[in-house]
Amino acid sequence: MTSPLTTHPMTRLVRGLVASVAALVLPLSLSSFAVAGDEESSPESWTIQVGSESPDQAIQGMSFLPSNIYINTGDTITWEANSAEIHTVTFLARGQKLQPFNPFNPKQLSRQGSSAYDGHSYYNSGIMANVSNTGFKAVEDYALKFTHTGTFTYYCVVHGTAMKGTVHVRAAGTDYPYSQDQYDHQTRKQERKIVRDGEEQWEAARDQASNHQVIAGTDNETAMLMRFVHHEIVVHVGDTVTFRNAGMGAPHTVTFGHEPANIFAPVGNPKNFTGGNLSSGLMEPGTKFTVTFNKAGEFAYICALHDYMGMIGEVEVRS
Ligand SMILES: [Cu+2]
């Protein structure tokens, strides 16, 4: 390595340029050590936000923020519920495959594992949300102490591979590349981006929607719109309305009348709706539910998954 005293000015200039380009490219520059190396390596506490949302809950973010965190053995991470949409923090056991969300599986719904992560077993936070009306027994936070070095990926079992995070655990005493303040700054930036993405999708949904086509939620796998667009429509007796889940990751339902015990199963005859109970069952992303309205009246409906966030609508049928 060349001594700094003998470095050619041009080399210094190039290095300077490389450093400033790197600082622009990396959201958080590795060169800025905000947390000094701690000689006594006392354990630190860290916080990760689970989900994010707009103030009216219409836009929900499917992210752990920060999604990558660098900590040392002995440190503790607390995940905090940051949205009305439900999520989990789930570390799979070695060799275990991520299963689809099953709202009746207690291993997905409730806390599993101790408060210290062993590096290879199944750990689960249980359902997390920042509100209590989700229909699930939800917790607001989940803490784990990390005692083994390694790179550990975790998922939200509700949203699958679209929502994952990684914990990088290094030996006690290792310098931290980022401080909690730097992570928080990045988190706020990403939260704003998710809301902007959601608003753009909302705008696009308004363009696609008509009196006979309702967008039943949409998402880009990171930002989800939890609204029917348009949430109020007017049609005539004998008309057919198509409800379309325009998203890529999140399921929804279109449910008239009483919410069925199993919201995943279809109820009623959509080819001849005259009031009462009718439900699409689980509408996967990209699917449609078509209803023919054969009676005048005002028919309110909900998304049985997201009604508590305001995902509700009404069809007025005129004679
Ligand atoms: Cu929904």
Side-chain angles (χ1 to χ4, degrees), residues 35-36 38 41-46 71-77 176:
V35 181
D38 194 65
S41 64
S42 57
E44 291 278 338
S45 295
W46 303 89
I71 67 166
N72 293 346
T73 53
D75 290 0
T76 297
I77 297 176
Y176 296 112

Side-chain angles (χ1 to χ4, degrees), residues 251-252 303 306 311:
H252 300 283
C303 168
H306 307 121
M311 191 164 179

Side-chain angles (χ1 to χ4, degrees), residues 103-166:
F104 305 102
N105 181 352
K107 288 222 153 62
Q108 295 184 347
L109 299 186
S110 57
R111 183 171 178 145
Q112 306 288 320
S114 70
S115 57
Y117 182 60
D118 67 7
H120 59 85
S121 302
Y122 182 76
Y123 283 73
N124 183 39
S125 61
I127 298 290
M128 299 186 71
N130 66 3
V131 294
S132 57
N133 58 352
T134 64
F136 292 94
K137 195 172 171 286
V139 296
E140 289 200 5
D141 46 61
Y142 175 60
L144 272 185
K145 184 177 177 164
F146 288 81
T147 51
H148 293 65
T149 58
T151 301
F152 306 110
T153 297
Y154 61 95
Y155 300 90
C156 165
V157 288
V158 180
H159 299 110
T161 50
M163 184 167 170
K164 62 181 178 185
T166 305

Side-chain angles (χ1 to χ4, degrees), residues 1-261:
M1 204 164 158
T2 324
S3 153
L5 289 172
T6 59
T7 306
H8 189 273
M10 197 58 196
T11 314
R12 283 204 302 274
L13 178 65
V14 168
R15 278 185 192 159
L17 274 174
V18 168
S20 42
V21 167
L24 282 172
V25 168
L26 296 170
L28 297 169
S29 169
L30 269 167
S31 59
S32 55
F33 286 91
V35 181
D38 194 65
E39 291 97 45
E40 288 163 26
S41 64
S42 57
E44 291 278 338
S45 295
W46 303 89
T47 304
I48 296 176
Q49 301 298 323
V50 180
S52 62
E53 63 188 1
S54 59
D56 62 1
Q57 302 174 333
I59 297 159
Q60 296 286 325
M62 281 187 260
S63 297
F64 297 107
L65 298 173
S67 57
N68 273 276
I69 194 165
Y70 292 83
I71 67 166
N72 293 346
T73 53
D75 290 0
T76 297
I77 297 176
T78 301
W79 283 267
E80 290 179 348
N82 192 37
S83 69
E85 170 68 343
I86 59 166
H87 302 286
T88 71
V89 171
T90 307
F91 291 85
L92 298 175
R94 194 172 287 156
Q96 188 182 6
K97 287 255 184 336
L98 186 63
Q99 297 296 312
F101 180 53
N102 172 356
F104 305 102
N105 181 352
K107 288 222 153 62
Q108 295 184 347
L109 299 186
S110 57
R111 183 171 178 145
Q112 306 288 320
S114 70
S115 57
Y117 182 60
D118 67 7
H120 59 85
S121 302
Y122 182 76
Y123 283 73
N124 183 39
S125 61
I127 298 290
M128 299 186 71
N130 66 3
V131 294
S132 57
N133 58 352
T134 64
F136 292 94
K137 195 172 171 286
V139 296
E140 289 200 5
D141 46 61
Y142 175 60
L144 272 185
K145 184 177 177 164
F146 288 81
T147 51
H148 293 65
T149 58
T151 301
F152 306 110
T153 297
Y154 61 95
Y155 300 90
C156 165
V157 288
V158 180
H159 299 110
T161 50
M163 184 167 170
K164 62 181 178 185
T166 305
V167 180
H168 305 264
V169 188
R170 308 196 289 182
T174 309
D175 284 340
Y176 296 112
Y178 311 116
S179 68
Q180 183 72 51
D181 276 354
Q182 287 174 311
Y183 287 126
D184 291 348
H185 180 77
Q186 191 63 21
T187 290
R188 285 190 293 272
K189 243 171 88 174
Q190 282 171 334
E191 283 181 323
R192 286 194 295 271
K193 186 188 182 307
I194 286 167
V195 170
R196 276 200 308 273
D197 282 1
E199 280 166 353
E200 274 173 28
Q201 292 179 69
W202 206 341
E203 198 60 50
R206 283 188 199 104
D207 289 344
Q208 294 163 31
S210 70
N211 256 357
H212 297 86
Q213 162 134 258
V214 175
I215 303 298
T218 185
D219 69 84
N220 65 4
E221 288 195 293
T222 305
M224 302 182 272
L225 177 67
M226 302 302 201
R227 288 294 183 270
F228 292 106
V229 185
H230 303 291
H231 68 285
E232 287 174 347
I233 57 168
V234 180
V235 299
H236 288 92
V237 171
D239 281 1
T240 293
V241 176
T242 299
F243 299 85
R244 183 163 68 91
N245 178 347
M248 299 164 70
H252 300 283
T253 80
V254 172
T255 304
F256 293 86
H258 289 295
E259 187 172 324

